[in-house]
Amino acid sequence: MRVVQSAEDLLFRQEARDWLAANVPGERRPHETGDAQRAFDVDWRRRQYDGGWGHIAWPRAYGGRGLPVARQLIWYEECARARAPAYTNNCCFVGLSHAGPTIIARGDDAQKAFHLPRILSGDAVWCQGFSEPGAGSDLAGVRTRGVIDGDSLVISGQKIWTSYAIYAQFQELLIRTDPDSTRHDGLTFVICDMSAPGVEIRPIRNIAGGSDFCEVFYDEVRLPLTAVVGGVGAGWDVAMSLLAFERGAASFPVAMEIAARVEELLEYVESKRPSIEGAGWRESALGARLAAVRADAAALKSMVYLLIARDAGPAEGSYVRLFLSELEQRVSALAMDLLGPEGLEKASLGGWPRRYLDDFKTTIAAGTSQIQRNIIGERILGLPKGGARR
Ligand SMILES: Cc1cc2nc3c(=O)[nH]c(=O)nc-3n(C[C@H](O)[C@H](O)[C@H](O)COP(=O)(O)OP(=O)(O)OC[C@H]3O[C@@H](n4cnc5c(N)ncnc54)[C@H](O)[C@@H]3O)c2cc1C
């Protein structure tokens, strides 16, 4: 696929490239979950915001530049090229990639005016409270309940796997407000103030050593009804809008990062392998795998461009999400094989061992691969219903 860029696009790209060259942090993001990691993420976000790069495609009224999404893609490409801090491994990710877009699409004026500038500037970190012990793929099984009491909602229950809950001021919270309802009816989407009395957060340690995702407990947490997005009882609809952003546009920067990561790997291996095994390594099985992921990374970028060019429907993000999450795992597994024992030592080359462990999550978070396949089968290919959840 050939992407045609206008003279304005090229100027914009150069402007982005120059700014990034001067501003990408020299130091690495701290690995350990904690204050230093949060400060790193928020500082990088603040730097982009102050530099006029808060968000290219968001409306000007809320601190964005109001430019076409294609320019946002250029920004992501340039960030990846400049090895800027990764977009998803950053606690500002939830706010930027789905809370903000959902508020733009479904929030009221007061919610937009309050939350959007704070998300862009990094003044507010967000997390997502959808999954529960009995409601993951089957999100309609949400049982955390909300009782309307005057002009408040009183919330009790539990969420799990809430990424960045320990850092967050606000949460996208999906609750059941109609006790007699089942499945998709009777759900409400409310913005939860994480400092409200009754919210308790317990971090969970993952295999990569991080503890940024958590259990969250709600013991009669009182939130104003003005924090409801889209109206009481409309939660499923709002949640589906959000998931479309999470699986679609939120994947775009990651696609650019994967492509850049593959190039980095290629450069590194090219500089090492021929001297070790002779130039014939490219014809080896490992060389073939590297060529395949390089081609797939290019295909992924094309899928992203195509999605934008066609202004595709919400379900089509599942194509990108599925392909991307499985490719991420293949790339990190290949990196470990290519680098061999050196991969374990060379934490400096993108920290591949940590990434390899971390990437086990990619085919689970934001809906598992099986769920993405169900969505593609039912909602895009028109196959018989029955499997899709979320
Ligand atoms: C790193 C990470 C971060 C996360 N962050 C958040 C977050 O911030 N907020 C949040 O709310 N959630 C978060 N999640 C949770 C994530 O959304 C769920 O883990 C995911 O939706 C799967 O749900 P589950 O874990 O309950 O597994 P289950 O739904 O119990 O699934 C178990 C297995 O059964 C399969 N399966 C289930 N139903 C079907 C079906 N109908 N057809 C075919 N196969 C099926 C699944 O594919 C999976 O393999 C995160 C998860 C991870 C790994």
Side-chain angles (χ1 to χ4, degrees), residues 94 98 127-139 159-165 171-172 206 212-214 243 246-247 358 360-372 374 378 386-390:
V94 171
H98 38 94
C127 62
Q128 180 187 72
F130 279 15
S131 304
E132 299 183 4
S137 302
D138 188 11
L139 187 58
K159 297 289 173 178
I160 193 166
W161 315 126
T162 312
S163 304
Y164 301 123
Q171 184 182 48
E172 310 158 338
N206 68 30
D212 54 19
F213 66 5
C214 309
L243 288 178
E246 187 175 1
R247 291 170 186 149
D358 207 40
F360 278 90
K361 73 181 181 197
T362 61
T363 48
I364 304 172
T368 66
S369 286
Q370 291 77 20
I371 296 303
Q372 308 299 349
N374 285 349
E378 292 176 20
R389 299 287 169 97
R390 283 200 147 231

Side-chain angles (χ1 to χ4, degrees), residues 47-390:
R47 204 183 298 187
Q48 292 171 82
Y49 180 73
D50 289 345
W53 303 95
H55 203 286
I56 314 306
W58 280 21
R60 282 178 174 277
Y62 306 120
R65 284 207 187 178
L67 293 171
V69 183
R71 293 276 172 88
Q72 184 72 46
L73 273 195
I74 294 176
W75 170 250
Y76 293 147
E77 269 183 339
E78 289 303 319
C79 286
R81 185 181 171 279
R83 312 275 193 263
Y87 197 81
T88 40
N89 274 351
N90 184 301
C91 70
C92 300
F93 169 74
V94 171
L96 278 173
S97 64
H98 38 94
T102 304
I103 291 172
I104 291 174
R106 308 300 297 263
D108 61 30
D109 288 345
Q111 289 163 347
K112 288 177 189 172
F114 182 83
H115 289 292
L116 296 176
R118 286 172 174 77
I119 288 173
L120 281 192
S121 64
D123 284 344
V125 171
W126 280 65
C127 62
Q128 180 187 72
F130 279 15
S131 304
E132 299 183 4
S137 302
D138 188 11
L139 187 58
V142 158
R143 293 174 61 185
T144 295
R145 64 187 183 284
V147 178
I148 296 177
D149 179 24
D151 55 6
S152 302
L153 264 176
V154 181
I155 295 160
S156 299
Q158 184 201 342
K159 297 289 173 178
I160 193 166
W161 315 126
T162 312
S163 304
Y164 301 123
I166 41 165
Y167 296 156
Q169 280 95 9
F170 295 103
Q171 184 182 48
E172 310 158 338
L173 180 58
L174 190 63
I175 53 171
R176 190 164 294 286
T177 37
D178 179 352
D180 300 324
S181 67
T182 53
R183 311 295 304 156
H184 311 97
D185 297 324
L187 296 172
T188 295
F189 184 111
V190 61
I191 299 169
C192 177
D193 177 348
M194 296 298 279
S195 64
V199 175
E200 189 196 345
I201 300 164
R202 297 184 200 159
I204 303 168
R205 197 139 183 95
N206 68 30
I207 55 167
S211 46
D212 54 19
F213 66 5
C214 309
E215 291 177 292
V216 182
F217 296 86
Y218 310 80
D219 183 10
E220 303 208 334
V221 174
R222 191 169 279 272
L223 299 175
L225 276 172
T226 51
V228 169
V229 178
V232 171
W236 184 257
D237 209 27
V238 179
M240 288 304 104
S241 303
L242 184 148
L243 288 178
F245 293 123
E246 187 175 1
R247 291 170 186 149
S251 299
F252 300 167
V254 190
M256 305 306 160
E257 285 167 12
I258 293 176
R261 225 177 288 149
V262 171
E263 293 309 306
E264 186 185 358
L265 196 57
L266 178 66
E267 278 164 32
Y268 178 77
V269 176
E270 283 279 5
S271 73
K272 292 280 176 191
R273 281 271 167 170
S275 61
I276 303 167
E277 293 171 10
W281 81 269
R282 288 195 205 106
E283 276 75 55
S284 70
L286 281 176
R289 278 170 66 196
L290 185 52
V293 294
R294 197 171 185 224
D296 284 347
L300 177 64
K301 282 177 74 170
S302 298
M303 282 166 81
V304 166
Y305 278 112
L306 207 60
L307 219 64
I308 289 174
R310 286 179 33 209
D311 200 12
E316 293 195 40
S318 288
Y319 281 132
V320 172
R321 179 72 214 170
L322 175 64
F323 193 63
L324 171 148
S325 55
E326 297 189 350
L327 179 58
E328 258 189 308
Q329 291 181 348
R330 276 197 289 137
V331 171
S332 57
L334 173 61
M336 294 304 289
D337 289 342
L338 279 167
L339 300 173
E342 196 179 340
L344 295 173
E345 294 161 15
K346 277 252 174 204
S348 57
L349 189 75
W352 284 107
R354 189 180 295 268
R355 182 174 289 288
Y356 172 73
L357 291 174
D358 207 40
D359 281 352
F360 278 90
K361 73 181 181 197
T362 61
T363 48
I364 304 172
T368 66
S369 286
Q370 291 77 20
I371 296 303
Q372 308 299 349
R373 286 191 166 86
N374 285 349
I375 292 169
I376 292 166
E378 292 176 20
R379 298 182 201 160
I380 302 176
L381 304 177
L383 298 175
K385 286 198 183 304
R389 299 287 169 97
R390 283 200 147 231

